[in-house]
Each structure stands twice: as structure tokens, then as C-alpha cells.
Amino acid sequence: MIFIINIQGSNLFSWKNHETLYINFGIISTEVERVVGRPCSITETTPSKLLFKQVNLRANDLPCIESDSYLLEESSSYETCINDIILLNKHFQQIKATEDLYELLEKSSSNTWESTYMRYWALKGEWDRFDNILNKTIQFCEEHRTVTYGFKEYEALCAEFNHPIPSFDIKKWER
């Protein structure tokens, strides 16, 4: 496993002021990368590329972290931030296997984990997991009357692995 902690000095709406800090984290399973055929090493790419490769979350997405941000002008924020990084590190130490990441994947804001894990599950023959994500994606497409990039990736994976894809009329929503 590769664990990355990222301190973000702003949010989307206050990037010029840098009044607030946010803690993000990324987790990459080197086993998953190896199985899908990609080399994965902290020395082979930049931390920012690794951060968005598989699991990408804000620290407060974990139950052990209460703060969602840290104000720079408050000295108590620094101590809270450091304590939360220590808690985050302790949480990382509990992750021993790729399966330990599955719960975090459902919270992850990154879309790239899905195609990585979909390919991983297909290669390992874990079709129940694959179909679960595929059906959630189809449900999303139907609710929003659109075809997502993710769905197109999963459709291609189904064709590649000769796996049946549930049918629904995507043509009427394509733009």
C-alpha cells in the first residue's frame, strides 16, 4: 500500500486567500496496480498523480476525524490539524489488504478508482463486485438521463472480458 497525505491550502472558492487548510488522503494498492498491469511506485510518479489514482478522500470522511478544515489564523487549529494527521496515520496502519479499501472506495470522490477496480475485479473473476458498481452506474444514468464516461468504460470492460451487460436504452439519452 502507498498512503499519501495532502495538505490543501485552500478550498475551491478561496484559493487566493489561503485562509483555511484541508487534509486529503490517497491510498493506492500496489497489488491492484500490478494485477491491472501498471507499475506503481512512489518513485515512478508524482504524489499528486498517485493521490487521484485509487482512493481519494477528505480526512473528515473517516469517522476518527471530526474537523473538516483548519483556520490558519487560529493557533488551536494547528494542534488539531497535527493531531488529525496522527489519527489518519493510525487509521492507515489498520489497512492491511486490498479488501480493506472497499468501504473507502464507496466514499471516494475520484472516478479513476472505479475503472481501476472494475478491471481488477474482472481479472480476478469477482463479478459480483463488478456488477454491483455497474448496476449503480446504470441506475445513475437512468436517473439523470445521461450516459456517463464511467458507464462507457464499464461497457468496454464487459466487451473485453465477454461479460454480459444489463440492457437499457442508452441511445435516447446520449447527447
Side-chain angles (χ1 to χ4, degrees), residues 77-138:
S77 281
Y78 296 111
E79 188 173 322
T80 304
C81 182
I82 290 168
N83 288 335
D84 284 350
I85 290 171
I86 291 167
L87 287 172
L88 188 56
N89 187 49
K90 286 180 182 177
H91 187 80
F92 286 166
Q93 292 173 16
Q94 297 172 12
I95 298 171
K96 303 292 184 200
T98 299
E99 292 77 19
D100 297 339
L101 298 175
Y102 293 168
E103 184 179 333
L104 292 174
L105 289 172
E106 293 182 6
K107 298 177 182 179
S108 181
S109 61
S110 174
N111 292 330
T112 56
W113 74 261
E114 293 176 340
S115 59
T116 300
Y117 275 82
M118 295 290 275
R119 176 169 293 284
Y120 173 74
W121 292 327
L123 287 165
K124 292 189 60 104
E126 295 184 36
W127 293 108
D128 288 345
R129 291 189 191 284
F130 184 100
D131 288 339
N132 183 37
I133 299 299
L134 179 61
N135 287 325
K136 285 180 182 178
T137 303
I138 289 172

Side-chain angles (χ1 to χ4, degrees), residues 137 140-148 168 173-175:
T137 303
F140 179 90
C141 291
E142 288 175 335
E143 287 173 7
H144 293 89
R145 301 183 60 78
T146 188
V147 178
T148 64
F168 75 106
W173 299 318
E174 288 183 335
R175 295 181 184 147

